[in-house]
Amino acid sequence: MDLVTQTVLGGAVGEMVLGKKAGNKAIMWGAVGGLIPDLDIFVTPFFSEVDGLFVHRGFSHAIIFAFLLAPLLGWLIHRIHKKNTDIQLREWIFLIFMAAFTHPILDYFTTYGTGAFLPFSDYRVEFGTIAIVDVFYTVPFILVLLTIMFIKRSSAIRRKLIVGLIFLTSFYLLGTVGNKLHVNAVFKNALSEQEIMYNRYKTAPLPLSNFLWMGLAETDSGYYMALYSNFDEQIPTDFEFIPRNEMLLEDLNENKALQKLIKFSKGYYHVNKDEKGLYLADLRFGKMGIGKNAAFVFKFYITSRDGEVIIEQSQDSRSIEENAFSNYLQRIKGEMN
C-alpha cells in the first residue's frame, strides 16, 4: 500500500511488540522497519521503465527479506539504545522482523503484485481485495498512534488501544476479502445477464475505499469493463468494450522489454495509438477518473530510436479529468451509475 499506511502499520506493530518496554521508541523503530521495504522506490530510477516495475515490490518485499533485515537493523538499534534501556537484542530483532514481515503481507492484498517468493520464484502475489490507498484502513492507525504517543507506556489504556486497533484493522482487511467475493458474484451475474462470453475475469477496488470496484472480463479480442459500487441499487449494465489490439505489436513481439511489460500486466492490456504514438495500457489499475475518456493510470509509450525499442511511462496518465473527485465520490454513493 502507500508509504503512509505502511509507516503507521509498522509503528502499530512496534507498539504491539515492544510498546510496554520501549514506549514511543517502539513506534518509531516499528515505523522505520515498516517503511524500509518501500525504499526500493529510490532504486528503481537506476533501471529501465519496465524493469523498474518489477524492482518495486520486488526483493525488498520477499518473505526472506525480513529475516535478513531484522538482525542487521535490530543490532544497530540495540547499539543506539544499549545504555538507556534494558531491552535485549533479540527483542529489537523481533520488533523489526514483525514490522518488515507485515509490510509485504498487506501488499499481497493489493493489485500491483508483490514478489513474495524471490529470489526462488518471480511469481507476483496479488489478491486484489484492497486499494493501494484506503482511508478506512489508514486513518484509524493515524488517530490511535497519535493518541497513544501522549499516554504513559505503562498505562493499561495504551495497550487496550493498540490491541483494539489491530483487531479493528485486521477485521476490516478480512472484510475486504468477503466484499471481493460478493463483488465477483455481482459481476458474474451481470456478465451472464448481458450474455457476455469471457475467458477469465478479475475485479479490483478503486482508491480511497472498498466500496467502488472495477470489473474486467477478458474475451478473445479484448475486455469488457464496468464499475460497481456497494451502494448501487442494480448490477452493472453499462459495460465498456476495450479492444486488446495486439496486432499493433506484431513487429515487436520478440522484444524482451515488451514481453516483460505484458507479463507485468498479467495479460490485461490495451494497445492503441494517439497523437503521441503507440502505447500499451495496463487495465488492472483503471483510469484517472470514472469517465470513458479518462486517461489510463498505467500507460506506456512504445517508440523506436536508432533501431532500439524504447518503452516510457506516460506522464499524461497522471492527469486527472475535470471534476474527477466530486464525480468519484458521487459514483461511490451510487449516484452516477
Side-chain angles (χ1 to χ4, degrees):
M1 293 186 74
D2 63 284
L3 293 175
V4 173
T5 302
Q6 292 292 8
T7 301
V8 293
L9 172 61
V13 170
E15 171 66 23
M16 188 75 175
V17 172
L18 209 54
K20 193 171 183 179
K21 294 183 69 174
N24 291 342
K25 293 186 183 70
I27 295 178
M28 179 186 72
W29 288 115
V32 171
L35 177 63
I36 283 178
D38 272 347
L39 296 185
D40 58 11
I41 60 174
F42 295 108
V43 179
T44 54
F46 296 98
F47 294 83
S48 68
E49 291 270 11
V50 176
D51 288 337
L53 296 172
F54 291 91
V55 172
H56 182 46
R57 294 196 183 181
F59 182 70
S60 66
H61 288 65
I63 294 173
I64 195 175
F65 181 76
F67 289 91
L68 299 175
L69 175 67
L72 298 174
L73 187 53
W75 174 83
L76 178 60
I77 298 170
H78 181 64
R79 294 282 295 179
I80 293 173
H81 298 298
K82 188 175 182 179
K83 295 181 180 180
N84 302 321
T85 69
D86 59 351
I87 300 173
Q88 300 298 309
L89 171 61
R90 66 176 181 275
E91 294 177 291
W92 287 120
I93 291 176
F94 184 62
L95 183 151
I96 295 302
F97 172 80
M98 290 302 297
F101 189 74
T102 53
H103 178 127
I105 289 178
L106 178 58
D107 280 340
Y108 299 159
F109 287 86
T110 66
T111 301
Y112 188 91
T114 305
F117 308 113
L118 290 169
F120 310 106
S121 169
D122 61 358
Y123 177 78
R124 296 178 73 88
V125 179
E126 55 154 299
F127 300 146
T129 73
I130 191 170
I132 292 176
V133 178
D134 189 318
V135 295
F136 291 96
Y137 184 84
T138 306
V139 171
F141 278 105
I142 297 174
L143 295 178
V144 171
L145 287 179
L146 286 176
T147 302
I148 282 177
M149 291 175 68
F150 294 96
I151 301 175
K152 291 182 179 180
R153 67 185 185 187
S154 58
S155 174
I157 189 64
R158 181 163 174 155
R159 187 67 179 176
K160 289 179 181 178
L161 282 172
I162 196 63
V163 171
L165 173 67
I166 296 299
F167 176 81
L168 174 67
T169 53
S170 298
F171 183 77
Y172 180 81
L173 188 60
L174 182 62
T176 67
V177 177
N179 196 29
K180 183 180 178 70
L181 294 176
H182 163 70
V183 172
N184 284 350
V186 168
F187 272 103
K188 286 183 69 175
N189 187 24
L191 291 166
S192 176
E193 288 203 3
Q194 295 291 313
E195 298 184 346
I196 296 174
M197 303 297 294
Y198 58 93
N199 302 323
R200 58 175 180 158
Y201 77 98
K202 75 178 284 90
T203 58
L206 298 186
L208 300 184
S209 75
N210 204 241
F211 303 127
L212 184 59
W213 291 71
M214 175 187 68
L216 278 174
E218 181 188 53
T219 69
D220 291 338
S221 58
Y223 311 87
Y224 285 92
M225 176 187 289
L227 298 181
Y228 170 74
S229 168
N230 287 102
F231 300 104
D232 285 350
E233 296 181 354
Q234 60 183 16
I235 62 176
T237 57
D238 186 20
F239 281 90
E240 173 190 4
F241 182 74
I242 303 175
R244 188 181 302 108
N245 291 336
E246 68 269 32
M247 73 288 298
L248 295 176
L249 301 176
E250 285 181 347
D251 296 336
L252 304 169
N253 280 338
E254 301 302 317
N255 183 265
K256 292 182 179 180
L258 177 60
Q259 292 306 313
K260 282 184 179 180
L261 183 57
I262 292 174
K263 180 181 179 181
F264 176 77
S265 73
K266 295 199 171 181
Y268 289 97
Y269 67 93
H270 162 67
V271 183
N272 212 332
K273 293 181 178 180
D274 60 18
E275 66 280 1
K276 293 185 178 181
L278 180 68
Y279 68 84
L280 182 148
D282 188 333
L283 301 181
R284 296 176 301 153
F285 301 96
K287 300 179 179 181
M288 299 297 291
I290 62 173
K292 291 185 178 181
N293 295 324
F296 292 102
V297 174
F298 269 42
K299 179 179 179 181
F300 298 84
Y301 282 103
I302 306 168
T303 58
S304 180
R305 299 175 189 168
D306 300 324
E308 180 182 1
V309 176
I310 305 296
I311 300 177
E312 297 176 311
Q313 188 168 0
S314 170
Q315 298 305 311
D316 293 341
S317 64
R318 301 305 182 198
S319 60
I320 302 176
E321 66 179 0
E322 186 178 358
N323 300 322
F325 188 68
S326 59
N327 291 341
Y328 189 77
L329 292 180
Q330 286 184 308
R331 184 63 190 86
I332 289 177
K333 293 186 290 183
E335 297 176 358
M336 294 184 66
N337 56 330

